[in-house]
Amino acid sequence: MKGLTPKRQSAVLLREAAEMGVSLERLDIAVRAARTLGDAEIQFLEKLLVWIDAGVSQERRAALSKGLAKALDATPVSVPEDPLAMVDDSLDAAGAAENVALAEMESQALREAILKDCIDAAEAGRLTSRSRQALERLRRDGRLLALRVGPRWRYPRWQFDPDAPGGIVPGIDGVLRELSLSPTAAAFWLLQPSEGLGGHPPIEWLRRHRPESVIELAHQMSLLP
C-alpha cells in the first residue's frame, strides 16, 4: 500500500477484510505487524504458525501467549502524555471532502466484495422453490437481504440453505428487523467475526440453527448510539 494516504489505506483494508471474511481489526494488526516488527519477532510468529499447522492445541498456544504477555507487561513502556491530543482537531474543507470521498470509496469496496457472492432472482427461486414475486415480497418486508444492481436485485448466496424450512437460513428475518441497516452494511455485519459469538461470523451461527443469540446481538447493536 505504498504511496497511499493512511485514510486510503484504511479503505483498502476494509475491502480486503470483507473479501477474506476477517475483521478489519485483525487485518489491520496483521498489516502493522508485517510492516513494523523486526526479523526476530516475525520468526517467532512463523514458529507459532508452524505449531498451528502441526496441530498443537489451542490450550498450549494460549499458555505460551500468556507467558509472553506477562513478560511484555513487566517491561516498562513510555506512553505519550496526551495520546488523544489531536482527536478533536477540527477538519478544514479539504479534510472534510476527503472524509466524504473515503466513506464513499469504503462503501463501494464493501458492496463490490459482497456482490461477488450474490445470485439473481431466478437462481434464488430455484434454491428456495419460491416464485420471483414471493422473493420480492420477502425483500420488501425486510425478511430477505438483497442489493440493487441497476433495475434488478441480487441476493447474497449465503443466506440460503436448501435444508432449512423455505430454503432460507433461520433467523435472517429477525436479524434484519433488529439491525435496520442498509443492505450492504447488514451483509457486512453478518459476515464479520463477532466476539459475542466466540469469534464466529453471525451468518455461521445462524447456519447452526441458533438464531436467538444472533438476533439478541443485533438488538444490542441497534441500541448503540
Side-chain angles (χ1 to χ4, degrees), residues 29-30 32-34 37-52 68:
I29 291 172
R32 288 172 56 200
L37 294 183
D39 291 342
E41 294 159 321
I42 292 295
Q43 287 172 10
F44 172 80
L45 294 178
E46 289 176 341
K47 290 178 180 178
L48 185 57
L49 290 174
V50 169
W51 271 31
I52 294 173
L68 179 60

Side-chain angles (χ1 to χ4, degrees), residues 2 7 10 15 18 38 46 48 54 59 77 79 103 105 112 119 126 136-137 147 149 153 164 188-189 208 211 217 223:
K2 186 177 180 180
K7 290 183 178 179
S10 296
R15 181 189 62 207
E46 289 176 341
L48 185 57
E59 289 76 12
V77 178
V79 178
M105 184 166 56
E112 291 174 358
I119 57 179
R126 286 193 294 271
E136 176 63 16
R137 283 195 297 272
L147 281 70
V149 180
W153 292 95
F188 185 68
W189 186 86
R208 296 179 178 182
L217 190 65
L223 299 178

Side-chain angles (χ1 to χ4, degrees), residues 7-8 91-105:
K7 290 183 178 179
R8 298 197 185 281
L91 290 174
D92 56 17
E98 184 177 1
N99 275 358
V100 172
L102 176 63
E104 291 177 351
M105 184 166 56

Side-chain angles (χ1 to χ4, degrees), residues 134-154:
L135 291 173
E136 176 63 16
R137 283 195 297 272
L138 290 174
R139 183 199 63 77
R140 284 201 309 264
D141 292 343
R143 297 164 58 194
L144 195 62
L145 193 59
L147 281 70
R148 190 174 192 120
V149 180
R152 302 185 183 279
W153 292 95
R154 303 281 292 177

Side-chain angles (χ1 to χ4, degrees), residues 5-143:
T5 66
K7 290 183 178 179
R8 298 197 185 281
Q9 289 179 19
S10 296
V12 173
L13 285 176
L14 193 59
R15 181 189 62 207
E16 295 300 323
E19 291 184 350
M20 290 188 290
V22 300
S23 69
L24 179 60
E25 181 182 8
R26 280 176 172 263
L27 185 58
D28 181 52
I29 291 172
V31 171
R32 288 172 56 200
R35 190 167 51 219
T36 60
L37 294 183
D39 291 342
E41 294 159 321
I42 292 295
Q43 287 172 10
F44 172 80
L45 294 178
E46 289 176 341
K47 290 178 180 178
L48 185 57
L49 290 174
V50 169
W51 271 31
I52 294 173
D53 292 339
V56 175
S57 69
Q58 187 173 0
E59 289 76 12
R60 288 187 63 191
R61 303 198 313 265
L64 174 66
S65 299
K66 185 179 293 185
L68 179 60
K70 286 183 178 180
L72 291 174
D73 289 340
T75 305
V77 178
S78 59
V79 178
E81 291 184 3
D82 187 4
L84 301 179
M86 300 180 64
V87 167
D88 294 325
D89 284 355
S90 60
L91 290 174
D92 56 17
E98 184 177 1
N99 275 358
V100 172
L102 176 63
E104 291 177 351
M105 184 166 56
E106 290 175 345
S107 177
Q108 185 60 31
L110 284 175
R111 179 180 170 82
E112 291 174 358
I114 292 165
L115 283 172
K116 288 181 179 180
D117 195 24
C118 284
I119 57 179
D120 59 19
E123 187 171 354
R126 286 193 294 271
L127 291 175
T128 60
S129 300
R130 297 173 187 264
S131 67
R132 186 186 298 267
Q133 292 76 17
L135 291 173
E136 176 63 16
R137 283 195 297 272
L138 290 174
R139 183 199 63 77
R140 284 201 309 264
D141 292 343
R143 297 164 58 194

